[in-house]
Amino acid sequence: MGSPVILQVVGYQNSGKTTLISKILKELGSRHIHVGVIKHHGHGDRVDPNDSGKDTEQHRSAGASMTCVTSTENSILTMNSELPLKKAIALYETLEMDCILIEGYKNIQFPRVVLLRDEMEDREILMNSHDVIASIHSDKPNRVNFQESKSPHFMRDDEEGWKDFLITYITREHGKESES
């Protein structure tokens, strides 16, 4: 098996990253493409593992750096430290994901989709992005010359257009990886 297709979705808070990823996930799932999602929790506080009073909480409290509980239906892995993005990707590769969708990590660059709420306020994220696959705008881009960008631009309400484009990109890249 080749390396998974990696697609990063970036944008400022409330730009629609989770909604976009959820819509892409449904379509990829219907095509039997195994997708893992890595989400950056950029708020600086602790992520709640929601296992209060459970054995895994007791294990972490006793000093375990990592816990994993697994059953025939699912598995949950928790750590008492931040998992660097490159290591998370390596873990997903080990688990043979066909595609990895990354939500956030604005300062780390992978092929990406940039979501823009307001072109003037959000311009910096687009201008500082490399390997932009597409940008999706809430408002019609007219004040800033986005034509410099070689990647396609979509309006948020053109869901069929951007979704088809992104699914085609992922399946095409997945096909390339399967051939190698």
Side-chain angles (χ1 to χ4, degrees), residues 141 144-151 153:
V144 177
N145 185 5
F146 286 112
Q147 302 312 316
E148 302 166 4
S149 172
K150 294 182 173 115
S151 62
H153 303 275

Side-chain angles (χ1 to χ4, degrees), residues 60-128:
R60 273 193 316 281
S61 296
S65 298
M66 180 184 298
T67 63
C68 182
V69 60
T70 187
S71 73
T72 57
E73 296 293 318
N74 69 342
S75 300
I76 300 170
L77 176 76
T78 59
M79 297 177 60
N80 268 345
S81 62
E82 180 177 5
L83 182 61
L85 180 58
K86 287 189 180 200
K87 288 187 178 187
I89 290 170
L91 176 63
Y92 281 41
E93 288 173 337
T94 300
L95 298 173
E96 299 181 351
M97 294 291 111
D98 298 319
C99 176
I100 301 172
L101 298 177
I102 301 171
E103 181 176 332
Y105 292 96
K106 288 186 278 296
N107 297 321
I108 299 174
Q109 302 278 333
F110 283 94
R112 59 174 46 185
V113 177
V114 179
L115 302 183
L116 302 160
R117 301 166 303 183
D118 177 276
E119 71 180 71
M120 292 309 288
E121 289 178 25
D122 297 355
R123 181 173 188 242
E124 179 183 338
I125 194 170
L126 184 61
M127 296 300 127
N128 290 328

